[in-house]
Amino acid sequence: STTSIDNIGMCIPINVAKPLIEEVLKSYNPDDVNPQPDTKADNEENLSTGTNPLLGKPRLGVNIASLSNTNGILPQGPLVRTVEPGSPAEEGGILPGDIIVEVDGELTATGDEVIARVQGHSEGDSLTLKVYRDEAVASQIGNATIDLSKAGDGEYLEITVILRVVDDRSM
């Protein structure tokens, strides 16, 4: 028996999007748009003042994917595909192949639930993650499917992660 690993994606049919795009383009006024910084110095200033809404948010530093068709052999929860070096997740001990089943005592069936719980916290907050760790799953993490006949002999661990801002978004 195998299980597949699905990344989550959303799409909008082009026939639905096209009229909306045309409407936005017709009403576009470049004078209404704030210019973006073009120099490195401006970007550094935005980092220090926190004016860029994409920066300055605490996060775990993991890439997660959904598991499907596990037939109850593996617990429900998002699978950690990768862990960023130097991230709060790495410092807390989260490893690729871990399945995040709870954040602060609340079940997390999807990656969106993990993200929502992290976004509700500030830098310096600690989160307690309950993860399921199975060496057979971790050894297959680069595969598109996981052979479940080798899985199911893992353990549950509680990991404390101290959130901080990680602005390097190379992953």
Side-chain angles (χ1 to χ4, degrees), residues 110-161:
T110 67
D112 287 341
E113 291 174 353
V114 172
I115 292 166
R117 295 211 173 82
V118 170
Q119 287 178 342
H121 287 80
S122 302
E123 184 169 25
D125 288 354
S126 68
L127 292 179
T128 302
L129 304 177
K130 185 175 184 180
V131 301
Y132 178 79
R133 183 171 292 164
D134 187 325
E135 293 302 320
V137 173
S139 68
Q140 301 178 61
I141 198 66
N143 303 343
T145 61
I146 292 175
D147 182 354
L148 290 175
S149 67
K150 299 175 183 173
D153 195 21
E155 61 181 329
Y156 287 92
L157 303 168
E158 282 203 357
I159 295 176
T160 300
V161 175

Side-chain angles (χ1 to χ4, degrees), residues 75-78 99-103 106-109 130-132 156:
Q76 189 171 9
I99 298 170
I100 302 172
V101 295
E102 289 181 9
V103 175
E106 295 185 49
L107 293 174
T108 53
K130 185 175 184 180
V131 301
Y132 178 79
Y156 287 92

